[in-house]
Amino acid sequence: MARIVMKFGGTSMAGIERIRNVAARVKREVDAGNQVAVVVSAMAGETDRLVGFCREASSLYDAKEYDVVVSAGEQITSGLLAIALQAAGCKARSWLGWQLPINTSDAHGSARIGEIDTVALDASLADGVVAVIPGFQGVADGQRVTTLGRGGSDTSAVAMAAAMKADRCDIYTDVDGVYTTDPRIVPRARKLSKVTYEEMLELASVGAKVLQTRSVGLAMKENVRVRVLSSFEDGDTNDGHRGTLIVGEEEIDDMERQLITGIAHDKNEAKITLTQVSDRPGSVAAIFAPLADAGINVDMIVQNVAHSTGSTDVTFTVPAADLARSLDVLDKAKDAIGFATIVHDTRVAKVSVVGVGMRSHAGVAATMFTTLGERGINIQAIATSEIKVSVLIEEDYTELAVRVLHTAYGLDAEDAA
């Protein structure tokens, strides 16, 4: 007997027929003798609809009441799935975030999970009852409903798996696994059987949309084995060849290990350049401290060589959604920073190569730069980590860059059409 958490996203829960399909998948695991907890998202588009209601009611809505409204979508699907499971002959019940409880911080709209009390849940699972749990939500101070931020159901599922000491957490989505890159751009992209936590964390952070970044970080911290697979593929979920496993590096054989695991891209980037910044100690801190105080994440940073006038230009990137707020913050801090002008550009994209093989192989960055240079693609900024190299390029060249890099690192599938 295994203990499994199954998580189903919004497209999987989009309507009664799809909910019945989810119930059938869950029943197969139950019939195999497993204890099952299911974490569900709201129906596709439902959260956006509820957010729209909040904004229509008031542009300055109370974050606490916002969480009450937007968490309703998951409550509905958890109840409907419990009903569908009962109709299919399974014992099932729903558990809302406050009933377990799933205790979180009180940062409404972006709460973080602290601990989950599973005593009652464990007893229910031992009695053969399927637990259906709404993702994306918890409770702060035992009273107020909280939500975890968009995509938070992935984090809910991993957190539940860790708290329950589950054998595996299966994330069902509209894709059948993690690919070497977006197969819509590169038809010869290969599905990966296994990916390390670190690689998946990097891929998620630089644009891969398969898993929420926070969920991968939590899985790595708690050593939760995660599997990504499709809600729309038929077949036995116990087939180990289906989907992609996200696991520790020790679970990947040397024969399976590759220099580069995948290529990711992100067009949701904006480039900001401050010109003629005073070249003195503390000037860079004066730029990024107010951005940090405003909760704006800065990614790539380039500081040019100082001009003969004792000034320099500083370029960096922020999420495109934060551009207007960033410009406002910087303009208000202009006197403290000491710069001449702000130049910004949203017609940029970040392209990244990721792989644990970088640790032991030289030349990964050189291959990337050479490949892009041969195609006339100019690099505007560079950022690196131990297992990642990212470059900022003109947005129009994104798909070309992804394709040529995929080929350059030998990631193309031999048998793809």
Side-chain angles (χ1 to χ4, degrees):
M1 177 189 293
R3 178 172 279 196
I4 298 172
V5 172
M6 304 172 73
K7 183 265 175 178
F8 292 90
T11 54
S12 307
M13 306 297 293
I16 297 300
E17 284 307 312
R18 289 191 177 181
I19 289 174
R20 289 196 181 107
N21 177 61
V22 168
R25 291 180 180 276
V26 174
K27 188 175 187 299
R28 284 202 292 268
E29 293 288 1
V30 173
D31 291 344
N34 297 319
Q35 293 182 353
V36 181
V38 187
V39 175
V40 295
S41 296
M43 293 184 185
E46 181 65 8
T47 301
D48 287 337
R49 187 176 74 94
L50 296 173
V51 170
F53 285 152
C54 291
R55 291 173 176 166
E56 187 176 348
S58 173
S59 58
L60 299 174
Y61 51 73
D62 183 343
K64 296 182 180 65
E65 303 305 338
Y66 169 90
D67 278 355
V68 172
V69 174
V70 299
S71 63
E74 283 75 13
Q75 178 173 327
I76 292 168
T77 50
S78 61
L80 288 173
L81 180 56
I83 291 171
L85 284 165
Q86 292 166 1
C90 292
K91 293 193 292 183
R93 67 152 290 183
S94 61
W95 295 83
L96 301 186
W98 61 268
Q99 292 174 316
L100 284 169
I102 300 172
N103 296 299
T104 74
S105 67
D106 62 358
H108 289 271
S110 58
R112 292 190 172 272
I113 295 173
E115 60 179 6
I116 302 174
D117 187 340
T118 64
V119 173
L121 180 65
D122 289 338
S124 181
L125 290 171
D127 195 36
V129 180
V130 176
V132 185
I133 302 163
F136 179 57
Q137 67 171 246
V139 60
D141 301 324
Q143 296 180 344
R144 298 303 303 248
V145 172
T146 57
T147 61
L148 310 182
R150 300 307 294 266
S153 292
D154 286 350
T155 300
S156 297
V158 173
M160 285 304 310
M164 293 166 48
K165 297 180 171 54
D167 296 279
R168 191 179 69 243
C169 178
D170 287 344
I171 307 288
Y172 286 82
T173 72
D174 52 1
V175 297
D176 61 349
V178 179
Y179 280 74
T180 48
T181 196
D182 188 338
R184 293 170 298 182
I185 294 176
V186 183
R188 297 177 69 86
R190 293 183 291 108
K191 186 174 72 174
L192 301 164
S193 59
K194 291 181 181 179
V195 178
T196 70
Y197 294 125
E198 288 180 277
E199 289 170 325
M200 194 66 240
L201 188 60
E202 290 282 17
L203 286 168
S205 70
V206 295
K209 301 297 191 294
V210 179
L211 290 173
Q212 188 202 44
T213 306
R214 278 174 59 188
S215 70
V216 183
L218 182 59
M220 181 166 65
K221 175 178 175 289
E222 300 293 339
N223 199 32
V224 175
R225 300 178 85 247
V226 176
R227 183 166 61 163
V228 178
L229 62 170
S230 173
S231 301
F232 307 109
E233 278 192 345
D234 292 327
D236 183 358
T237 58
N238 292 311
D239 179 359
H241 296 291
R242 291 187 58 218
T244 300
L245 277 170
I246 318 298
V247 294
E249 194 172 342
E250 68 280 357
E251 287 199 46
I252 298 183
D253 297 332
D254 288 338
M255 290 290 291
E256 298 176 297
R257 196 181 309 279
Q258 300 209 22
L259 173 61
I260 296 300
T261 298
I263 314 289
H265 71 282
D266 188 357
K267 294 183 178 181
N268 299 311
E269 295 279 322
K271 182 178 71 170
I272 298 174
T273 299
L274 302 184
T275 66
Q276 298 181 40
V277 177
S278 299
D279 186 26
R280 55 178 170 77
S283 60
V284 173
I287 296 171
F288 298 112
L291 292 171
D293 291 341
I296 298 169
N297 292 321
V298 175
D299 187 9
M300 300 176 171
I301 302 173
V302 177
Q303 180 172 342
N304 296 335
V305 176
H307 304 303
S308 58
T309 57
S311 64
T312 185
D313 298 339
V314 178
T315 298
F316 54 93
T317 61
V318 298
D322 289 333
L323 175 59
R325 202 153 53 96
S326 300
L327 296 176
D328 181 61
V329 168
L330 293 167
D331 187 61
K332 289 177 179 177
K334 183 174 182 178
D335 291 340
I337 298 170
F339 63 86
T341 60
I342 302 179
V343 180
H344 65 274
D345 186 1
T346 57
R347 297 167 300 174
V348 294
K350 179 169 62 178
V351 177
S352 307
V353 297
V354 176
V356 293
M358 291 186 194
R359 290 180 179 145
S360 55
H361 290 79
V364 172
T367 298
M368 185 181 201
F369 303 154
T370 300
T371 302
L372 296 177
E374 289 173 347
R375 292 303 184 107
I377 301 172
N378 187 47
I379 296 172
Q380 302 179 24
I382 302 168
T384 65
S385 75
E386 190 178 23
I387 64 169
K388 175 199 73 182
V389 180
S390 297
V391 296
L392 193 71
I393 63 173
E394 187 177 332
E395 184 181 42
D396 291 345
Y397 290 102
T398 306
E399 285 76 14
L400 174 61
V402 170
R403 287 195 294 269
V404 297
L405 289 172
H406 198 268
T407 299
Y409 288 110
L411 297 176
D412 292 348
E414 294 180 1
D415 57 350

